[in-house]
Amino acid sequence: MTLSESTWTPQSAAQLAELAEAFAELGRDLMSERGLDSTLGLISRRSVTLIPSAQDAAVSRGRRGVFETVGQTSELPLGVDQLQYDLGSGPCVDAALEQKVYRTGELAADPRWPEFGRRAAAEHGIHSMLSTRLFLENDDLVAALNLYSAMPDAFEESDETVALMLATHASGAMVSAQLQEQVHHLERALQSNRGIGIAIGVLMNQYKITKEQAFDLLRLASQHGHRKLVDVALDVTETGTLELPPLPNRSNVRSPG
């Protein structure tokens, strides 16, 4: 049985077993995801499968008070969440900042978010929301998993339990994806530095100049050609030549050949 073939309401031992199987499958699928946004998209899609009353799902993430919506299952969360970001309060924002779970069954009448609730219901037709904090190791980054429904009183206490389990998986997956991206950036940086070092060696040998002078030539060519330094270095390592702008004084640089 796959996630697309059934949904779960944790009321019996058999259903709990199915729920456990579903989360095991989710864990395996998360291991094969690459990239943070892709990981969050998978979490959102599985959220609306595991919590059938959810019409849509998304993740709100923010740093220093600036939030964005990612991994959304449709365009609807973008509009609903933007209201919260503009007002500075709402289930998603408050869950991320206050480390709580927020559930509301009638936004238009919820005194906790009077303006947001009224506008979310009137402009987007959303009456119920369920938001839970994602716990991350990065102190600057906060996030929350959000579920939306046009039905009043759509979410029950059991849905909170499933949402918390999803948030736990999502938190671990986000941390893992962030570490993967950091490793990827580090590997790219090391490759770039290695390529620049090789290009400097080529120029030192070709022009009989110092390492500092060779680097200055690379930087000059980069600025003149409006190209990244690493791309200029790659050309040097592949062709052995460097295209330079006209220089006022090249007495210290001997042309090759």
Side-chain angles (χ1 to χ4, degrees), residues 56-174:
D56 279 294
V59 172
S60 293
R61 65 182 178 191
R63 182 178 276 111
R64 299 181 183 90
V66 179
F67 283 86
E68 65 175 344
T69 299
V70 292
Q72 65 275 6
T73 53
S74 77
E75 295 299 309
L76 185 141
L78 297 175
V80 175
D81 290 355
Q82 192 58 52
L83 289 177
Q84 300 182 74
Y85 305 156
D86 293 341
L87 295 169
S89 182
C92 307
V93 173
D94 292 358
L97 294 177
E98 299 176 10
Q99 305 184 18
K100 293 182 178 179
V101 177
Y102 284 100
R103 175 164 57 102
T104 177
E106 185 46 79
L107 276 169
D110 197 317
R112 293 174 291 184
W113 312 287
E115 184 174 358
F116 164 72
R118 176 183 58 80
R119 294 181 60 184
E123 298 175 18
H124 301 283
I126 292 300
H127 295 276
S128 297
M129 287 189 64
L130 176 59
S131 298
T132 180
R133 167 77 181 267
L134 304 183
F135 290 91
L136 308 174
E137 293 183 0
N138 188 328
D139 293 337
D140 291 336
L141 185 67
V142 295
L145 174 64
N146 312 304
L147 306 175
Y148 316 77
S149 177
M151 297 294 296
D153 298 316
F155 301 112
E156 301 177 354
E157 186 175 352
S158 60
D159 295 325
E160 285 191 29
T161 302
V162 178
L164 284 169
M165 295 171 67
L166 282 163
T168 300
H169 276 71
S171 298
M174 283 186 69

Side-chain angles (χ1 to χ4, degrees), residues 198-199 202-203 206-207 218 227 231-243 256:
I198 294 173
V202 171
L203 295 177
Q206 192 173 62
Y207 290 104
L218 285 174
R227 302 175 63 201
D231 293 335
V232 174
L234 181 61
D235 283 351
V236 172
T237 59
E238 290 180 348
T239 67
T241 61
L242 178 64
E243 183 177 348

